[in-house]
Amino acid sequence: MKYCSDCGAKLVEQIPANDDRLRYVCPQCEIIHYQNPKVVVGCLPVAGDKVLLCRRAIAPRMGYWTIPAGFMENGETMLAGALRETREEAAAEVCDEVLYRLFDIPHINQVYVFYRANLNGGFGIGPESLESALFSEADIPWSELAFPIVTDVLTEFFADRKTGEYPVRVSTPSPLWAKHVGWEPDTDKTL
Amino acid sequence: MKYCSDCGAKLVEQIPANDDRLRYVCPQCEIIHYQNPKVVVGCLPVAGDKVLLCRRAIAPRMGYWTIPAGFMENGETMLAGALRETREEAAAEVCDEVLYRLFDIPHINQVYVFYRANLNGGFGIGPESLESALFSEADIPWSELAFPIVTDVLTEFFADRKTGEYPVRVSTPSPLWAKHVGWEPDTDKTL
Ligand SMILES: [Zn+2]
Ligand SMILES: [Zn+2]
């Protein structure tokens, strides 16, 4: 961030009055340009004892399996975003959606919010996917999952399925994996 | 958003390739400047049968009672942000934090995430508060709460307290209240 998006003036970094962090401030129009985490929303579509995964057609982790997810847009709810991503990436409709899993990923300034839902009909292949497929627990390609948070959600889901209890969890994955897959803070890269 | 924050060029609004929404695009460096919802994090501090509320010293809804909450910062977890806001607004430390309540507020492009926690010692008055106080259910100033989401969280909390079950809920408040309190989309106003 170098220029004011409101007036085009060169920004300066300073700690504003009544604040304790460096911000980008416009010396011309005095606007403080805050930078805040982004929300990624997704959905785990369930069909009987199987879940629907997509194989990524895009970087990062192209060719690896993931859960439909992407950046939440202005003007939509988290669930609406999760359903949109499920349509876009897996050409799938779902029903009976329930909030399921949150992740903090502070080193890339992202929050993930996943719903569980039942697959409602067929599915297909979106432009950002190479293929989509249903997997039972025994068939999950554990070594070919795109991100550790996908491993976490699937591991928890199959354990929860045995108890019938699906608590809403929130945790932070290890920062090491972001480095592993080549993610950098403040980029618009996502699942 | 009028100017490219990377190069200062005048932005144009267009639908990028493989997209279906108008975005601000820089004709010079070709960066797409996405706009995404912001996360507000907060905490409901509990002490015995009472909860800690703060009376707002700032607009909007100055003089009305609310739960400690504010914009999540880059580099922090949702819980870290909720604890920071609890310190800043109520000079309070808490423990035993549990995820409790999410709200979508799509008309102002915000997501709210509230934790429940136990008050750990005393409390005070932060610079954005006029006073802080503990309230039992019978004493809650229902007609002087700052926002309908505060009413929702408190109503649910005292009902949940009777059952001992605190499910994590997510819902959208009516868009009418934002108009009522003078909020506008895309501003940096918060609870
Ligand atoms: Zn400016
Ligand atoms: Zn530019």
Side-chain angles (χ1 to χ4, degrees):
Chain A
M1 194 176 282
K2 291 179 192 158
Y3 299 91
C4 177
S5 54
D6 277 42
C7 77
K10 199 129 207 262
L11 296 174
V12 295
E13 271 196 285
Q14 61 184 59
I15 300 176
N18 305 317
D19 201 342
D20 57 3
R21 284 165 199 251
L22 274 174
R23 312 281 185 185
Y24 290 103
V25 180
C26 178
Q28 188 161 295
C29 62
E30 296 185 356
I31 285 175
I32 303 167
H33 294 277
Y34 295 98
Q35 294 181 293
N36 300 92
K38 292 188 177 183
V39 181
V40 177
V41 285
C43 184
L44 179 65
V46 179
D49 66 346
K50 294 181 176 174
V51 298
L52 182 63
L53 302 180
C54 301
R55 203 152 72 83
R56 293 173 59 82
I58 54 171
R61 302 290 278 166
M62 189 169 82
Y64 288 80
W65 292 91
T66 192
I67 299 167
F71 284 111
M72 185 181 179
E73 298 274 5
N74 273 357
E76 72 184 3
T77 63
M78 293 179 277
L79 177 56
L83 299 179
R84 177 180 49 72
E85 290 292 338
T86 306
R87 271 179 221 117
E88 288 176 9
E89 300 192 354
E93 296 292 332
V94 295
C95 56
D96 311 319
E97 309 90 353
V98 186
L99 181 69
Y100 186 39
R101 187 58 159 99
L102 285 80
F103 289 97
D104 286 294
I105 315 192
H107 51 284
I108 54 171
N109 306 318
Q110 292 181 354
V111 164
Y112 279 69
V113 179
F114 287 109
Y115 287 79
R116 269 184 310 120
N118 290 318
L119 189 62
N120 193 8
F123 58 91
I125 304 170
E128 296 182 357
S129 303
L130 296 169
E131 60 180 308
S132 301
L134 291 168
F135 294 94
S136 63
E137 183 176 6
D139 298 328
I140 294 281
W142 296 103
S143 64
E144 293 165 46
L145 298 180
F147 309 103
I149 60 173
V150 178
T151 309
D152 287 351
V153 171
L154 294 178
T155 302
E156 291 163 359
F157 171 76
F158 287 112
D160 289 347
R161 209 168 167 279
K162 291 179 180 69
T163 67
E165 299 280 326
Y166 298 88
V168 180
R169 298 181 184 87
V170 53
S171 70
T172 308
S174 160
L176 292 175
W177 73 265
K179 202 171 170 187
H180 174 64
V181 301
W183 280 20
E184 295 294 334
D186 285 321
T187 67
D188 282 323
K189 291 175 184 173
T190 178
L191 267 195
Chain B
M1 194 176 282
K2 290 179 191 156
Y3 298 90
C4 177
S5 54
D6 278 43
C7 77
K10 199 130 207 274
L11 296 174
V12 295
E13 271 196 284
Q14 61 185 56
I15 300 176
N18 305 318
D19 201 341
D20 58 3
R21 284 165 199 250
L22 274 174
R23 310 281 185 187
Y24 290 103
V25 180
C26 177
Q28 188 164 294
C29 63
E30 296 185 355
I31 285 175
I32 303 167
H33 294 277
Y34 295 98
Q35 294 180 293
N36 300 92
K38 291 187 178 183
V39 181
V40 176
V41 286
C43 183
L44 179 65
V46 179
D49 67 344
K50 295 181 176 175
V51 297
L52 182 63
L53 302 181
C54 301
R55 204 152 72 84
R56 293 173 60 82
I58 54 170
R61 303 289 278 165
M62 191 170 82
Y64 288 80
W65 292 90
T66 192
I67 300 167
F71 284 111
M72 184 180 179
E73 298 274 5
N74 274 356
E76 72 184 1
T77 63
M78 292 180 278
L79 176 56
L83 298 180
R84 178 181 49 72
E85 290 291 339
T86 305
R87 270 179 222 118
E88 289 176 7
E89 300 192 354
E93 297 291 331
V94 296
C95 56
D96 311 321
E97 310 89 354
V98 186
L99 182 70
Y100 186 39
R101 188 58 159 98
L102 286 80
F103 289 97
D104 287 294
I105 316 192
H107 53 285
I108 54 170
N109 306 318
Q110 291 181 354
V111 164
Y112 278 69
V113 178
F114 287 110
Y115 287 78
R116 265 185 312 121
N118 290 319
L119 189 62
N120 193 8
F123 58 92
I125 303 170
E128 297 183 356
S129 302
L130 296 170
E131 58 179 311
S132 301
L134 290 169
F135 294 94
S136 62
E137 183 175 7
D139 299 328
I140 295 280
W142 294 104
S143 64
E144 293 165 45
L145 298 180
F147 309 103
I149 60 174
V150 178
T151 310
D152 288 351
V153 170
L154 294 178
T155 303
E156 291 164 358
F157 171 76
F158 287 112
D160 289 348
R161 209 168 167 279
K162 292 180 179 69
T163 67
E165 300 279 326
Y166 299 86
V168 180
R169 299 180 183 88
V170 52
S171 70
T172 308
S174 160
L176 292 176
W177 73 265
K179 203 171 169 186
H180 174 65
V181 300
W183 280 20
E184 294 295 333
D186 284 320
T187 68
D188 282 322
K189 291 176 188 172
T190 179
L191 265 198

